Amino acid sequence: MYFELTEEQKAIQSLACEFARNEIQPIAMSLDLASATENFPWELVKKGSKLGFRTLTLPPRWGGIGADAITQLAIIDELAYVDASCSKIFAKNWTACRYLIAGGTEEQKERFLPLIRDNDTYLLATPGTEPGAGADKDTEYYDAPPGEGVMTTARREGNHYVVNGRKHFIAHGPTASLFIMRVRTDPSAPMSKGVSYLLIPRDTPGVSIGAIHDKLGWRAYPQSEIVLEDVVVPAANLLGGKEGYLNPEVGRGGRSIEVPAHMMAVARAALDAAIAYAGMRRQGGKIIIQHQSVAQDLADCYTLLEAGRSLLWRAAWTDTYQGVNPALTRVCRIYCAETSIKICITALQVFGGYGVMREMPIQKYLRDAITMEHGESTTRVVKLALAKLMESRFKAGTLC
Ligand SMILES: Cc1cc2nc3c(=O)[nH]c(=O)nc-3n(C[C@H](O)[C@H](O)[C@H](O)COP(=O)(O)OP(=O)(O)OC[C@H]3O[C@@H](n4cnc5c(N)ncnc54)[C@H](O)[C@@H]3O)c2cc1C
């Protein structure tokens, strides 16, 4: 395994670093403090689009650079170190593009990818979750039976589907132009067979945005409800042209490490801030990093951070050069989630009372880390999916 970046990757990494310091840093804290309905940084999206961050994974033919997982990680590592919300606004879009790139028909790619490429504010959302379908909107652990799981229905009528239902917690719900939505095309089948993906432009009659959720962290990365009332969608918008759930690995290509990459970048920012503070703050006649228990806490955190980052780079390398390794990406997701929260809590404690003051970024790192744990499935359910993979390896006689 070789983690050295190519010259092209180094160039885009330093572009991301510059963008984060010059454009994100000055607005990050005010976006976090603003209300959830007023803090979306459209100007930043336009500036980042011009640099290619919104469309990173699009193949060159459609105006992107077809970024692999290592390149995506290098960029998130820079952007999310400064602000996880602003980073995720771009990363959510470029990972959602993968559904179309990997799962769309040629006609769908020709129809939608140029729209994404040519409009600096064109964002994508991938609505799956519903009030009654959380963990069981996915099939990596559950296969929800008929009558449970995703219940937004898409009824076929001639050359159209008629969609009715309600989604919630949907990232880019209030800001996206296109929804790549999980819908029940066969209510009598379990999720794995009865759910399909429909491409639904936001301006389709019958689509409306409900409440915008006010969250603990990741505050400038918006989620909302989406309401669908007799929405008529052409059958040509059925992703991949056929009904039935996508293989969960379709469209991963970097998506698998995207949330852990955010977690580790935030943990690194929190730990750097704590080390700097502990090296400056004096109590008991010396700087607090020289008090043994503070020193040990920081050393423990650094150990966790390095282990998490090694796992993350290994997962990105594997994804890039060998294809997605479902077990490794789940290990990475679990470890990075648990570790980032631990690091952020300890870092906050090093700040004493300052740690909980709203004007200090340290408390924001912890809120962001906790919120991320819920952004794409939950750690508990990812553990169950991992155990299921281990069980199937045992049954197939392919354990290491
Ligand atoms: C910031 C953010 C962004 C999001 N973005 C999107 C998005 O873009 N698109 C989208 O579709 N959804 C999105 N979601 C929703 C997210 O995917 C769900 O919140 C998540 O899948 C969990 O569903 P739930 O909240 O309904 O919890 P539930 O599924 O109700 O789970 C509740 C608790 O029970 C536990 N649990 C569930 N099943 C089991 C089990 N079998 N064994 C043990 N424990 C279990 C869970 O771990 C959790 O602790 C987002 C959520 C957040 C917070």
Side-chain angles (χ1 to χ4, degrees):
M1 237 168 267
Y2 184 64
F3 293 151
E4 181 68 18
L5 298 180
T6 63
E7 289 308 312
E8 193 192 9
Q9 286 167 335
K10 282 183 196 162
I12 195 158
Q13 183 187 40
S14 67
L15 188 67
C17 179
E18 214 176 293
F19 181 70
R21 303 291 145 104
N22 296 339
E23 304 293 344
I24 299 179
Q25 184 91 61
I27 57 173
M29 285 305 284
S30 59
L31 291 177
D32 179 70
L33 290 167
S35 94
T37 51
E38 290 164 5
N39 64 351
F40 192 73
W42 280 115
E43 285 309 311
L44 188 84
V45 172
K46 288 183 201 161
K47 287 179 188 168
S49 286
K50 301 225 180 318
L51 299 175
F53 295 135
R54 191 181 51 87
T55 49
L56 208 62
T57 54
L58 289 185
R61 181 178 159 202
W62 284 293
I65 59 164
D68 58 25
I70 293 179
T71 309
Q72 294 174 49
L73 170 55
I75 293 171
I76 294 170
D77 204 34
E78 297 297 332
L79 300 184
Y81 181 82
V82 172
D83 183 62
S85 291
C86 292
S87 173
K88 182 70 181 178
I89 287 168
F90 293 107
K92 171 70 195 179
N93 203 66
W94 83 56
T95 49
C97 285
R98 296 280 316 164
Y99 283 90
L100 260 167
I101 297 163
T105 63
E106 284 309 306
E107 184 279 325
Q108 287 166 345
K109 290 182 207 174
E110 293 293 350
R111 194 151 43 102
F112 287 102
L113 294 180
L115 297 177
I116 301 171
R117 177 193 61 203
D118 295 340
N119 179 344
D120 283 348
T121 58
Y122 199 102
L123 296 174
L124 304 179
T126 53
T129 306
E130 300 174 4
D136 63 3
K137 74 174 182 308
D138 296 309
T139 55
E140 292 167 36
Y141 176 66
Y142 290 106
D143 188 5
E148 294 196 28
V150 167
M151 291 307 292
T152 293
T153 55
R155 198 178 63 248
R156 181 80 186 240
E157 286 186 5
N159 281 338
H160 294 89
Y161 286 94
V162 181
V163 185
N164 281 286
R166 176 180 287 264
K167 300 285 180 184
H168 77 174
F169 297 175
I170 306 307
H172 280 328
T175 49
S177 299
L178 180 67
F179 301 127
I180 304 175
M181 188 176 290
R182 276 171 231 188
V183 292
R184 198 89 175 194
T185 37
D186 183 355
S188 66
M191 278 274 299
S192 59
K193 296 199 170 55
V195 167
S196 311
Y197 288 75
L198 269 186
L199 301 162
I200 308 184
R202 182 224 174 97
D203 55 9
T204 311
V207 174
S208 59
I209 306 303
I212 296 177
H213 306 293
D214 192 6
K215 308 191 302 301
L216 177 74
W218 241 353
R219 285 184 54 77
Y221 170 54
Q223 283 74 36
S224 75
E225 296 177 318
I226 302 171
V227 183
L228 301 117
E229 291 168 308
D230 292 329
V231 179
V232 176
V233 181
N237 286 17
L238 183 69
L239 187 68
K242 54 180 184 292
E243 291 187 359
Y245 202 83
L246 279 184
N247 174 341
E249 307 310 331
V250 167
R252 277 203 183 269
R255 186 162 70 87
S256 49
I257 53 95
E258 187 237 341
V259 171
H262 279 86
M263 292 164 167
M264 282 295 105
V266 167
R268 185 163 65 88
L271 185 56
D272 280 357
I275 294 169
Y277 186 74
M280 175 270 289
R281 174 74 174 169
R282 289 183 72 80
Q283 287 294 289
K286 50 186 166 184
I287 50 173
I288 61 173
I289 200 168
Q290 289 172 354
H291 291 297
Q292 278 188 347
S293 72
V294 174
Q296 282 185 341
D297 276 356
L298 291 175
D300 284 347
C301 284
Y302 191 66
T303 307
L304 293 174
L305 183 76
E306 285 295 303
R309 281 170 61 78
S310 297
L311 193 52
L312 186 55
W313 281 90
R314 181 177 156 217
W317 185 92
T318 307
D319 187 317
T320 301
Y321 293 111
Q322 299 182 333
V324 176
N325 175 332
L328 180 61
T329 56
R330 282 166 185 86
V331 170
C332 183
R333 162 70 176 75
I334 293 162
Y335 189 82
C336 293
E338 293 181 346
T339 302
S340 67
I341 293 174
K342 270 189 211 157
I343 293 173
C344 289
I345 291 175
T346 307
L348 184 148
Q349 285 163 343
V350 167
F351 276 76
Y354 287 114
V356 294
M357 299 300 162
R358 284 299 298 270
E359 70 269 23
M360 301 288 282
I362 196 77
Q363 46 78 37
K364 172 176 170 298
Y365 299 138
L366 177 59
R367 288 187 286 105
D368 285 346
I370 292 172
T371 309
M372 282 176 211
E373 214 256 293
H374 300 278
E376 198 175 85
S377 197
T378 67
T379 305
R380 262 190 258 191
V381 174
V382 176
K383 282 183 183 175
L384 295 172
L386 177 62
K388 198 172 164 188
L389 281 173
M390 288 155 60
E391 187 189 346
S392 57
R393 275 194 190 178
F394 168 71
K395 285 181 181 156
T398 55
L399 282 178
C400 311

